[in-house]
Amino acid sequence: QAKRDGRAHFQYFSPEMNVEMLERMQLEQRLRKAVKKSEFYLEYQPVVDMTHGTVSSVEALIRWRDPEFGIISPALFIPIAEETGLIEPLGEWVLNQALADLSSWHAQGHMLKIAINVSGRQCINSNGLSFYQVLEEALLRHKIAAHYVHIEITESLLIEDKPYSLEILQSIRNLGVDIYLDDFGTGYSALSYLNQFPISVIKIDKSFIDNATVSQSDAKLVKAIVMMGQSLEMTLVAEGIETEEQWDFLQSLGCNYAQGYLMSKPLSSENLLTFLENETAINRIIDRKALASV
Ligand code: C2E
Ligand code: MG
Ligand code: MG
Ligand code: MG
C-alpha cells in the first residue's frame, strides 16, 4: 500500500508491520525468482455433472513449490503476483501448461473441458496485449477448439474498469470461450452485472455450501442463488462439496455441476488420468451409499 502511494510520502511502521513488510518483500523476491526458474506446477480438480455422474471438466489450480518454504498456497501468492504484475507471465504459463495437458488427455481419448482462473489484472492488462489475444494465440498453438476451454473470473474484475473489461470479456466470449463467475456471492458488485456481462455459468462459493445442510438460512440462500441462476438461464456449479448431504441437497435443487473433496481433491495430471480411468466420481458416491445401507 505504501508503495502505491508514491515515493514522496513517508510512512512509519510499527515493528510488527516491519516484520510483515519484510516477509512480504521476501515473498515478492522469491516469487520473482520462482517465475524465472519455473517452480510452479498445476493440479486439476474434477468437476462432476450432477445428472450423469461423469467428470465433464477440470479446474486448473496453480501450485508453487519453493525449495525452502515448501508448497505455498495460491491464496497467498496470487494477490502478490497481481500487485507486482508477475501475474502476467505466470498466467501465460498456466494457460500454456493447462492447454498442453489438455491436448495430451484428448490424445488419450479423454475429451475433457478445462477451466482456467484469470485474475483481474491479467485480464485487463497483459503487456500491451489483451488477455483475449494471449488466449486466442494459445488455442491456435495447442490446436484446441475454444469450446473445450472456459475462464473463471471474479466479481472484482467486473467493477474494475467496466467498459474495458466488458469489451475484453465480449471478445473472449466471441472466441467461443465461456466465462464463469467464480466465488459467486462473496464480492461487492451489483447483481445487474449478471445481465450486462457475457457470463454463462455461476460458481456458488464454498462458504455458502459449507453450512447449507446445517443452517436453515444458508440453505435458503443457496436455494435462492440456484433459482436466480436458473431463471437467468445460467448453468450452476457448486464449489466445495465435502459431504453426501451437500451433494444430495444441491442435486435436489437442480444444480448442474459439483466440485469438491467428496468427489476428488485437486490431482496431478497423472493422478487425474488414473482417476478418470478407474472410476467415475458418481460411482464412488453410489458405492458409498450402497455400503452405508448394508
Ligand atoms: P478458486 O478458483 O475458487 O478454486 C477453488 C479452491 O477451492 C481451490 O483452492 C480448491 O483446491 C479448493 N477446494 C475445492 N473443493 C474443495 C473442498 O471440498 N474443500 C476445501 N476445503 N477446498 C476445496 P486452491 O487451489 O488453494 O486455490 C485458491 C485460489 O487461488 C483459487 O480459488 C483461485 O482464486 C486462485 N488460483 C488458483 N490457481 C490460479 C491460477 O492459475 N490463476 C489465478 N489467477 N488464480 C488462481
Ligand atoms: Mg476458480
Ligand atoms: Mg471459486
Ligand atoms: Mg474460491
Side-chain angles (χ1 to χ4, degrees):
Q1 198 60 47
K3 200 167 148 199
R4 208 177 289 151
D5 293 342
R7 279 178 207 154
H9 298 265
F10 290 94
Q11 291 223 12
Y12 296 93
F13 296 105
S14 66
E16 295 76 33
M17 283 170 84
N18 276 331
V19 170
E20 210 173 275
M21 280 285 289
L22 196 69
E23 281 174 355
R24 166 76 173 66
M25 281 169 65
Q26 271 187 358
L27 204 55
E28 186 177 323
Q29 274 171 4
R30 275 180 184 269
L31 192 58
R32 268 180 213 289
K33 273 198 207 132
V35 171
K36 283 206 193 98
K37 299 201 303 195
S38 332
E39 292 173 353
F40 302 93
Y41 63 98
L42 294 181
E43 285 190 335
Y44 298 97
Q45 188 176 31
V47 178
V48 175
D49 179 331
M50 295 194 95
T51 355
H52 304 104
T54 47
V55 176
S56 56
S57 65
V58 293
E59 177 175 8
L61 295 160
I62 193 169
R63 302 288 178 253
W64 172 17
R65 195 197 306 274
D66 179 272
E68 195 182 324
F69 292 157
I71 293 168
I72 301 172
S73 162
L76 195 70
F77 72 82
I78 290 289
I80 297 175
E82 278 200 59
E83 273 178 54
T84 55
L86 286 168
I87 192 67
E88 291 169 23
L90 206 53
E92 256 186 81
W93 177 83
V94 170
L95 183 62
N96 281 296
Q97 184 61 49
L99 295 193
D101 286 337
L102 184 70
S103 71
S104 97
W105 303 327
H106 282 186
Q108 294 171 75
H110 297 290
M111 301 312 284
L112 293 172
K113 299 183 181 188
I114 203 162
I116 314 279
N117 289 288
V118 179
S119 64
R121 169 135 183 211
Q122 185 186 354
C123 209
I124 286 190
N125 184 10
S126 240
N127 298 321
L129 277 186
S130 87
F131 181 71
Y132 147 75
Q133 291 163 295
V134 174
L135 186 59
E136 185 176 38
E137 197 199 287
L139 288 170
L140 283 172
R141 182 173 336 129
H142 296 277
K143 301 190 180 65
I144 286 171
H147 71 270
Y148 284 112
V149 179
H150 48 261
I151 63 164
E152 296 189 2
I153 60 161
T154 55
E155 288 169 52
S156 61
L157 174 67
L158 308 179
I159 43 181
E160 229 160 281
D161 180 352
K162 204 175 152 218
Y164 193 52
S165 41
L166 180 56
E167 195 186 306
I168 289 182
L169 292 177
Q170 201 64 62
S171 325
I172 291 174
R173 184 64 207 97
N174 290 342
L175 278 180
V177 170
D178 277 337
I179 297 163
Y180 286 34
L181 189 60
D182 208 348
D183 305 340
F184 180 78
T186 60
Y188 296 97
S189 48
L191 281 176
S192 56
Y193 61 66
L194 288 175
N195 284 331
Q196 290 163 12
F197 288 88
I199 293 162
S200 50
V201 180
I202 290 174
K203 293 189 80 171
I204 308 168
D205 193 67
K206 177 178 182 301
S207 58
F208 298 108
I209 306 297
D210 281 343
N211 294 317
T213 52
V214 288
S215 138
Q216 268 300 317
S217 58
D218 277 32
K220 284 180 185 159
L221 207 50
V222 169
K223 187 173 178 188
I225 295 173
V226 173
M227 285 173 69
M228 181 202 65
Q230 287 169 340
S231 75
L232 293 173
E233 293 175 9
M234 289 179 172
T235 300
L236 291 133
V237 183
E239 288 193 299
I241 298 273
E242 292 180 346
T243 68
E244 279 169 31
E245 290 71 32
Q246 290 167 344
W247 169 282
D248 291 342
F249 178 61
L250 269 298
Q251 194 182 43
S252 75
L253 295 180
C255 182
N256 309 92
Y257 297 93
Q259 182 177 355
Y261 291 178
L262 176 66
M263 290 73 73
S264 175
K265 287 196 169 181
L267 304 168
S268 68
S269 182
E270 307 81 70
N271 288 345
L272 174 69
L273 276 183
T274 316
F275 181 83
L276 293 173
E277 277 156 15
N278 291 345
E279 52 188 341
T280 64
I282 195 74
N283 280 341
R284 301 202 324 166
I285 294 169
I286 291 170
D287 285 351
R288 245 196 304 259
K289 280 194 193 295
L291 279 177
S293 65
V294 170

